Amino acid sequence: MQTYNKNIFHLHDIDKLVKKHTIEDNEKLLIQFFSAVADIDFIRSLQQYFQNNFPLATLIGTTSDGVIEKKKVYASDRSLVVFSLFDSTTLQSSILDHKDVYNDHFKAGHTMASNLITDKTKVLITFTDGINTNGEEYLKGVSSFAPNTIVSGGMAGDNGALHKTYVFDKNHVTSDGAVAVTLDSDILEVTTSYSFDWMPIGKQLSVSKSVANRVYEIDGMTTVELYEKYLGEDIALLLPQLGIEFPLIIERNGLYTARAVLIKHDDGSLTFAGNILEGELVRFGIGNVETILRGGDSNLRGIVNKASNTIESFFIYSCMARRRFMGNYIEKELAPFSDIAPTTGFFTYGEFFHTNKKNLLLNESMSVLALSEKKEPINVSINNTIAKQSHDTTDPIHVISHLTNTIS
């Protein structure tokens, strides 16, 4: 397979990439488009462009909170187009609106999987809207039909506005639904990994009242009051926009999972990207640049160790909070991947990951999908990575988190 990508301001920028690499329309051509603007008119013009110029290819797209092109990250000013041409992999895509399944997000996932997944499916790449979809229920629905199928992708963004996000294919667009494509093959090798590295901080808090992903009370307070008490009135007033950067962390089966705020309600409740159950214990999470960088290095090493063949493409779906928290350091996390293979992706409002016959909704994480059709033994040197950086135990964030946890 071959992957080419380019950041764009205008649709005619796509022509430059197509001409440079002589990209031809093909039934085995997957196009991913990550839009910098959550604008329906722009998406319609984009769809028209691909209908006219690539009628045979498969398009799946989403609005974003920034895009990843090789070693570079672009925030809200540029979109990204990604062409992946496969040799021996077939593509099948579908899009659905939640109203078509009576707003049952579990059923939406089951329906999507049953429409697309076959016994030759190696991976399902899927994007959902970033505000209305309960990502956890959607992924459970996919697992209910195909528990062994690898799922990758994420929830759409809109540059932190948390107003309206979109996903689309060549013909349809929705702000309340999902789009997906399956990669079916006998030879395609799929390797996945993720890194989290957000630290839980402070005391454990008990969820007093919740319904699925809407949390009404924690420790006897409304959820908004809880944020105000522990993070301050200014943070509470800026919910949900700042809520993604200050997630609640849950420990389930020995695995830390973050949940980011998506919607603030008038009754003081908050809707999160995935479920938080009554009786669960949660803690606030905080990021640390060095820990995150080391986690990204471990992520890459894990993929290289698991892969049998030379990696031909990395697709990265990373949380918007990582980009915003890490600033320019985010490119240090991505650079080692780009040194190995074409690297592309976008920043999400929630990341999808598959492990142990389960699909997980993650927040604050970086999920990585590595693909290869090339039957050549992997031969990669990753000595020149961020792991060589020493760990500074005097970093203020580490000191503060240690102090807070000790006091708690």
Side-chain angles (χ1 to χ4, degrees), residues 1 30 32 86 122-126 150-153 181 183 188-194 299 303 311-317 337 341-344 352-353 366-372:
M1 67 175 291
L30 172 63
Q32 296 180 79
F86 293 89
K122 289 297 182 71
V123 61
L124 174 83
I125 300 174
T126 183
I150 294 173
V151 177
S152 189
V181 62
L183 309 185
L188 180 70
E189 182 177 75
V190 178
T191 311
T192 63
S193 186
Y194 84 99
N299 191 344
I303 288 177
I311 297 169
E312 294 182 287
S313 296
F314 285 117
F315 297 157
I316 293 182
Y317 309 111
F337 293 89
T343 299
T344 188
F352 304 153
F353 185 72
M366 181 178 74
S367 64
V368 182
L369 176 67
L371 300 177
S372 177

Side-chain angles (χ1 to χ4, degrees), residues 302-322:
I303 288 177
V304 169
N305 289 336
K306 287 188 290 184
S308 301
N309 301 324
T310 297
I311 297 169
E312 294 182 287
S313 296
F314 285 117
F315 297 157
I316 293 182
Y317 309 111
S318 186
C319 184
M320 58 93 81
R322 293 175 89 86

Side-chain angles (χ1 to χ4, degrees), residues 134 204 211 248 254 359:
N134 183 326
Q204 290 185 320
V211 178
L248 296 180
N359 295 316

Side-chain angles (χ1 to χ4, degrees), residues 68-208:
I68 299 164
E69 181 195 28
K70 302 174 184 175
K71 300 179 181 180
K72 298 294 293 181
V73 168
Y74 300 97
S76 60
D77 58 339
R78 304 190 197 189
S79 300
L80 187 76
V81 63
V82 185
F83 290 92
S84 296
L85 180 60
F86 293 89
D87 298 317
S88 304
T89 298
T90 58
L91 311 174
Q92 184 71 27
S93 67
S94 182
I95 189 169
L96 60 80
D97 196 286
H98 289 313
K99 68 175 183 292
D100 297 330
V101 289
Y102 309 102
N103 290 314
D104 184 332
H105 296 181
F106 179 93
K107 187 174 182 180
H110 186 277
T111 300
M112 184 69 83
S114 62
N115 286 345
L116 296 178
I117 293 174
T118 71
D119 57 0
K120 287 193 173 185
T121 298
K122 289 297 182 71
V123 61
L124 174 83
I125 300 174
T126 183
F127 309 136
T128 72
D129 79 89
I131 298 173
N132 299 310
T133 295
N134 183 326
E136 187 169 351
E137 291 299 312
Y138 174 75
L139 293 176
K140 285 180 179 178
V142 174
S143 293
S144 71
F145 180 83
N148 295 315
T149 299
I150 294 173
V151 177
S152 189
M155 301 176 69
D158 63 346
N159 297 312
L162 292 170
H163 174 63
K164 183 172 283 190
T165 64
Y166 297 97
V167 295
F168 52 91
D169 62 9
K170 263 191 297 194
N171 301 299
H172 302 94
V173 58
T174 177
S175 61
D176 189 8
V179 66
V181 62
T182 49
L183 309 185
D184 293 358
S185 175
D186 291 322
I187 69 168
L188 180 70
E189 182 177 75
V190 178
T191 311
T192 63
S193 186
Y194 84 99
S195 53
F196 176 54
D197 304 305
W198 236 251
M199 297 182 293
I201 189 171
K203 65 174 289 190
Q204 290 185 320
L205 308 162
S206 178
V207 179
S208 313

